[in-house]
Amino acid sequence: MELTENQIAFREGMSRMGAAVNLLTTDGPAGKHGLVASAVCSVTDSPPTVLVCINRGSFVHDKFLRNGALCVNVLASQHQDLCNTFARYVEGVDRFAQGTWTTLATGSPVLTDSNVALDCRIGSVLEQGTHSVMFCEVQGVHLSARPGAGLVYFSRDFHHLHSSAS
Amino acid sequence: MELTENQIAFREGMSRMGAAVNLLTTDGPAGKHGLVASAVCSVTDSPPTVLVCINRGSFVHDKFLRNGALCVNVLASQHQDLCNTFARYVEGVDRFAQGTWTTLATGSPVLTDSNVALDCRIGSVLEQGTHSVMFCEVQGVHLSARPGAGLVYFSRDFHHLHSSAS
């Protein structure tokens, strides 16, 4: 598919909007899966809700929907390798062999040393162009006791954010 | 309103998800207004679409809807003062006196040295709890020729992201 001028400018523009790097995970009847995503956004705290945008062409898109649940693991600077493992597909590699995992209410994999993990049930889903917007109802919040530097993607590169407390 | 334990954890959790600092602007029958927002998210590039989440209790919420258009100005490190000007309400102060502005198709104020500005018509709007999710159809993209360091909010503080090119 040839991109229009507006689409090329849009992609360049979005590369200039820094975003946290998140690992979305799920487990259930459709199996255990993970996807790196930056299109995650807080919606409201009444009740606690986030949304995630996932390409419908992605292999894991339907897995998330079938499991009806996902965990948003907000990655820290020490997770850049893990992030690359999930971003690349290598046949036969168990991506969850790396990292330490637990579960909360939904059974979705929770990365124990993520800066924060939001365990969610997927509520309403809205199709928008190539993507689904999944509204995720937060069932539980796992807060790391010692959060690491934040991992952010900006200008097609990783950046590490050191908080004054860390 | 007393917050539940889950809401408190959610707010703390969201402070650990770094996000670009954006200035949403609008102009039209409801007047010229601006709002600092981090809840902005890329949805799809077919056609180019972003979403913004705005508290329905905010003074400017209905102004955006009445004007039917907004510009997402992605701020750079040099805009921290401007950001504070828009975040604080001071009676009689013209917030647009600071900065250099232009317009594109919709007439929403475009900050000329923003790292990128997305001029949008507001399409569908979805109410979710306390907030409206506005799906914004990108009509034009203003790319600064020399983008500055990215401005990101993380751990209740501003951070500056220097790209390898800047």
Side-chain angles (χ1 to χ4, degrees):
Chain A
M1 184 192 71
E2 193 133 353
L3 295 175
T4 66
E5 210 172 300
N6 201 27
Q7 284 176 313
I8 292 168
F10 178 71
R11 287 188 179 192
E12 171 61 25
M14 293 315 301
S15 78
R16 300 182 180 191
M17 185 185 283
V21 182
N22 308 290
L23 177 59
L24 309 182
T25 56
T26 189
D27 200 357
K32 181 154 56 167
H33 301 280
L35 177 73
V36 174
S38 58
V40 177
C41 185
S42 173
V43 180
T44 176
D45 69 357
S46 308
T49 307
V50 295
L51 63 79
V52 305
C53 302
I54 299 181
N55 195 316
R56 288 207 303 282
S58 160
F59 168 73
V60 293
H61 174 273
D62 292 356
K63 313 290 185 188
F64 283 105
L65 290 186
R66 272 187 60 205
N67 286 343
L70 62 78
C71 181
V72 178
N73 296 278
V74 180
L75 299 185
S77 57
Q78 72 267 23
H79 298 126
Q80 204 171 314
D81 278 355
L82 181 72
C83 175
N84 287 328
T85 298
F86 274 90
R88 275 192 296 264
Y89 174 74
V90 182
E91 191 164 340
V93 166
D94 173 14
R95 300 168 177 188
F96 289 94
Q98 198 177 337
T100 311
W101 305 88
T102 184
T103 55
L104 293 169
T106 76
S108 304
V110 171
L111 185 64
T112 56
D113 67 339
S114 59
N115 276 355
V116 56
L118 306 164
D119 187 45
C120 303
R121 290 196 193 287
I122 300 172
S124 55
V125 178
L126 199 69
E127 295 196 357
Q128 286 278 316
T130 50
H131 283 61
S132 288
V133 182
M134 302 183 188
F135 289 88
C136 300
E137 303 154 2
V138 179
Q139 308 293 302
V141 179
H142 169 81
L143 290 163
S144 163
R146 293 178 56 84
L151 188 64
V152 162
Y153 203 68
F154 169 73
S155 193
R156 301 188 173 91
D157 208 354
F158 288 107
H159 295 258
H160 298 168
L161 306 179
H162 296 273
S163 72
S164 44
S166 70
Chain B
M1 185 193 70
E2 192 133 353
L3 294 176
T4 66
E5 210 172 301
N6 200 28
Q7 284 176 313
I8 293 168
F10 178 72
R11 289 188 179 191
E12 171 61 26
M14 293 316 300
S15 77
R16 299 183 181 190
M17 185 185 282
V21 182
N22 308 290
L23 178 59
L24 310 182
T25 56
T26 190
D27 200 357
K32 181 153 56 164
H33 301 280
L35 177 73
V36 174
S38 58
V40 177
C41 186
S42 173
V43 180
T44 177
D45 69 357
S46 308
T49 307
V50 294
L51 63 80
V52 305
C53 302
I54 300 181
N55 196 316
R56 288 206 305 280
S58 160
F59 168 74
V60 293
H61 174 274
D62 292 356
K63 314 291 185 188
F64 283 105
L65 289 187
R66 273 187 60 204
N67 285 344
L70 61 78
C71 182
V72 179
N73 297 277
V74 180
L75 299 185
S77 58
Q78 72 267 24
H79 298 125
Q80 203 170 315
D81 277 356
L82 181 72
C83 174
N84 287 328
T85 299
F86 273 91
R88 274 192 297 264
Y89 175 73
V90 182
E91 192 165 340
V93 166
D94 173 14
R95 301 169 178 187
F96 290 94
Q98 199 177 334
T100 310
W101 306 88
T102 184
T103 55
L104 294 169
T106 76
S108 306
V110 171
L111 185 63
T112 55
D113 67 341
S114 59
N115 276 354
V116 57
L118 307 164
D119 187 45
C120 303
R121 290 197 193 287
I122 299 172
S124 56
V125 178
L126 198 70
E127 294 196 357
Q128 285 277 316
T130 50
H131 283 60
S132 288
V133 181
M134 302 184 189
F135 289 88
C136 299
E137 303 154 3
V138 179
Q139 308 293 303
V141 180
H142 169 81
L143 290 164
S144 163
R146 293 178 55 81
L151 188 63
V152 162
Y153 204 68
F154 169 73
S155 193
R156 302 190 172 88
D157 208 355
F158 288 108
H159 295 258
H160 299 167
L161 306 181
H162 297 273
S163 73
S164 44
S166 71

